[in-house]
Amino acid sequence: MNRLLSVTLALLVQMMLAAHALAMPGSNELTLIANLTVSLDQKYAAGSITTLEQAEIALKESNAAQLRLQSWYEQSERACHQTFFVNDCLSDVKLQRRLYIVSLQRIALEAKALQRKLRIDQLDKELAQKQIKP
C-alpha cells in the first residue's frame, strides 16, 4: 500500500512538472492527459481488474487515452519542427509521452491478460464437459 502510494505520488509530481515544463501548443492537452492517466491508474490499480466487464471497460478507456496521447504527441512533434532547438524539443516531447504511456499500457496489458485467462478457463470448462458426456 505504501509503495503504491509513493509510486502514485511520484507519478503525480512527474506529471505536474512535465505539464509545466513543456510550454508549447497542446501543453493544456498534456495536462488533461496527465490527469486522465492518473485517474485511470488509480481506478485500475494493479490487480484490481477482476471481471470480464471491468477488463473490457478498462481496455476501452486505456486505448482511448493512448489515442489521445498519440494525437498530442504527433501535434507536439510537428510543433517542434517550428522551433530553433528541434532535437531538444523532440527529446522533451518523447520524454513526456513515455511518462504516461507506461501506465496506460499496463492497464491494457492487465485487461487483455484477464480476458485471455477467462477465455481459456471457459474453453477448458467446455472441453471438460465434452469429455464427460461421451
Side-chain angles (χ1 to χ4, degrees):
M1 182 69 178
N2 287 335
R3 187 177 191 298
L4 179 62
L5 183 61
S6 63
V7 168
T8 303
L9 287 175
L11 184 61
L12 254 174
V13 169
Q14 287 178 344
M15 289 179 189
M16 290 171 64
L17 291 174
H20 294 295
L22 193 59
M24 63 170 32
S27 63
N28 188 33
E29 176 69 8
L30 182 60
T31 304
L32 297 174
I33 291 168
N35 293 336
L36 176 62
T37 302
V38 169
S39 72
L40 287 176
D41 198 37
Q42 290 173 348
K43 184 177 180 181
Y44 301 112
S48 68
I49 302 173
T50 56
T51 66
L52 184 60
E53 293 80 24
Q54 281 180 329
E56 289 172 357
I57 293 169
L59 192 57
K60 285 179 185 177
E61 289 178 356
S62 174
N63 287 341
Q66 285 185 48
L67 287 173
R68 192 170 176 179
L69 179 62
Q70 184 63 26
S71 175
W72 169 85
Y73 176 72
E74 290 169 0
Q75 289 175 352
S76 297
E77 206 174 36
R78 282 191 296 275
C80 282
H81 291 287
Q82 306 302 318
T83 63
F84 183 73
F85 296 107
V86 175
N87 290 335
D88 191 40
C89 180
L90 290 173
S91 295
D92 288 344
V93 168
K94 286 178 186 176
L95 179 65
Q96 301 300 321
R97 181 176 175 264
R98 268 186 251 134
L99 288 173
Y100 308 112
I101 197 73
V102 172
S103 295
L104 298 174
Q105 286 177 340
R106 180 202 51 83
I107 294 167
L109 288 173
E110 187 175 327
K112 287 177 185 177
L114 180 67
Q115 286 177 331
R116 273 192 306 275
K117 181 189 178 305
L118 294 175
R119 190 170 36 248
I120 290 170
D121 289 347
Q122 181 64 31
L123 291 173
D124 287 346
K125 186 187 290 183
E126 290 172 5
L127 183 61
Q129 287 176 353
K130 285 181 183 178
Q131 289 176 349
I132 292 174
K133 288 187 178 180

